[in-house]
Amino acid sequence: QVQLVESGGGLVQAGGSLGLSCAASGSIRSINTMGWFHQAPGKQRELVALITSGGTTNYADSMKGRFTISRDNAKNTVYLQMNSLKVEDTAVYYCNLRFLVNNYWGQGTQVTVSS
C-alpha cells in the first residue's frame, strides 16, 4: 500500500509564493515519476509539473518560469515551489506518484490566490 501526504497549501495574495510538499510511503519502486496536478472548481484535473527519479522535469506551459518542482529520492518526497502566483492558480493541488502500471494520488491541498 502506498500513501501520499501533502502539506503546504493555503491562502496567498497574487504575486506571492507558496511551497507544497508530498511525502510518499509504502512499497515504492525506486524508478518512478512524481508530480503535481491541480483541479479548479468545475474543471478537469490538469498537469502542473512532473519529475522522474532521474530528475527529468516537465511543466505545463502556464507554469514554466513560475513554478519549480524538485524531489528528494532518499525521502520519497516531492516539492513544488510556486512563485508569482496568479488568481487563476487557485485550485486543489494533488500529489501524484506513478511506477509500472500503478498510479497513486494524495488527498489534495487547497491553494487560494486572492487578488
Side-chain angles (χ1 to χ4, degrees):
Q1 189 74 0
V2 172
Q3 282 192 321
L4 302 176
V5 178
E6 299 140 337
S7 60
L11 173 65
V12 65
Q13 285 192 327
S17 298
L18 272 179
L20 304 180
S21 64
C22 171
S25 61
S27 299
I28 302 168
R29 290 288 182 113
S30 59
I31 299 175
N32 59 66
T33 297
M34 298 187 77
W36 296 92
F37 290 70
H38 70 187
Q39 187 168 17
K43 294 189 176 181
Q44 290 187 330
R45 192 172 296 187
E46 297 177 332
L47 170 71
V48 174
L50 297 173
I51 184 167
T52 69
S53 48
T56 301
T57 59
N58 182 32
Y59 294 90
D61 287 343
S62 59
M63 280 67 182
K64 289 179 181 177
R66 300 190 300 124
F67 290 11
T68 302
I69 190 170
S70 61
R71 63 186 289 166
D72 184 333
N73 288 337
K75 296 180 179 178
N76 287 321
T77 299
V78 64
Y79 307 94
L80 184 69
Q81 179 63 38
M82 303 182 290
N83 299 327
S84 302
L85 281 160
K86 304 175 181 179
V87 172
E88 51 265 40
D89 294 322
T90 295
V92 177
Y93 283 69
Y94 294 92
C95 178
N96 177 257
L97 167 67
R98 58 187 68 175
F99 56 90
L100 300 177
V101 297
N102 304 290
N103 194 23
Y104 301 96
W105 295 95
Q107 79 282 2
T109 185
Q110 177 69 45
V111 171
T112 301
V113 184
S114 63
S115 59

